[in-house]
Amino acid sequence: MSAAGPVRLVVAGAIIDLENRSLLLARRRYPAEVAGLWELPGGKVEVGETPERALRRELAEELGIDVEVGGRIGPEVALRADLVLIALTARVVSGTATPTEHSAVRWVDGAGLSAMASEGELVPADAVWVSDLIEELARR
Ligand code: DCP
């Protein structure tokens, strides 16, 4: 892809349960560089799709949950010259997260997230969001 080529957006869900002050993480199966690491679940935005709609579609497909999408959180991350990653907050409206493409899911609180980041258990791109996520989990 040339530098002038189209940029695709990848949207990740910062799925937060404010009642339990916890965030949903999903464990990647592939590719090898990130297999076994945890991410905010999501996927690529299709042509003609809004990021919000793409996130709802991906989370329904990957985890069987219906979410309400909120606003942007954290900075955008350049994954490659032609791929940019953003995070949107979301909350589960219905369903229980059950992975179809990931190897596992887990809910973590701020301390748990911080510990996982320190241990290098998050995919590198998502690690830049940790402070923003911890702040959001502490929001009143
Ligand atoms: N990504 C990331 N952090 C996230 C979500 C995604 O770093 N929270 C990265 C991993 C991939 C790219 O974004 O490089 C696209 O994510 P997908 O989960 O859509 O990756 P796939 O490999 O499943 O893409 P495809 O749908 O093309 O198979």
Side-chain angles (χ1 to χ4, degrees):
M1 177 69 61
S2 75
V7 171
R8 276 198 81 178
L9 202 57
V10 181
V11 62
I15 305 166
I16 288 173
D17 176 355
L18 269 183
E19 211 157 292
N20 293 303
R21 303 267 167 207
S22 57
L23 171 79
L24 187 68
L25 293 177
R27 194 173 207 183
R28 285 196 74 101
R29 285 187 197 274
Y30 69 91
E33 311 88 77
V34 291
L37 300 181
W38 297 81
E39 69 173 3
L40 305 190
K44 297 189 181 83
V45 178
E46 301 292 345
V47 175
E49 200 177 37
T50 63
E52 291 77 11
R53 187 169 178 82
L55 183 59
R56 294 192 63 218
R57 174 182 51 74
E58 290 283 352
L59 296 177
E61 286 170 7
E62 294 182 356
L63 299 172
I65 52 175
D66 182 27
V67 300
E68 181 182 275
V69 180
R72 278 278 312 275
I73 185 169
E76 63 175 47
V77 182
L79 292 171
R80 305 188 314 230
D82 60 341
L83 210 55
V84 168
L85 176 69
I86 61 167
L88 297 177
T89 61
R91 70 179 185 93
V92 177
V93 173
S94 70
T96 299
T98 308
T100 58
E101 292 175 16
H102 295 88
S103 58
V105 293
R106 67 187 291 192
W107 290 93
V108 290
D109 62 11
L113 180 63
S114 177
M116 289 176 73
S118 302
E119 296 296 319
E121 293 180 312
L122 304 179
V123 302
D126 297 29
V128 308
W129 296 327
V130 167
S131 58
D132 300 283
L133 292 167
I134 287 172
E135 205 170 294
E136 186 69 17
L137 287 167
R139 205 162 61 87
R140 304 196 51 88

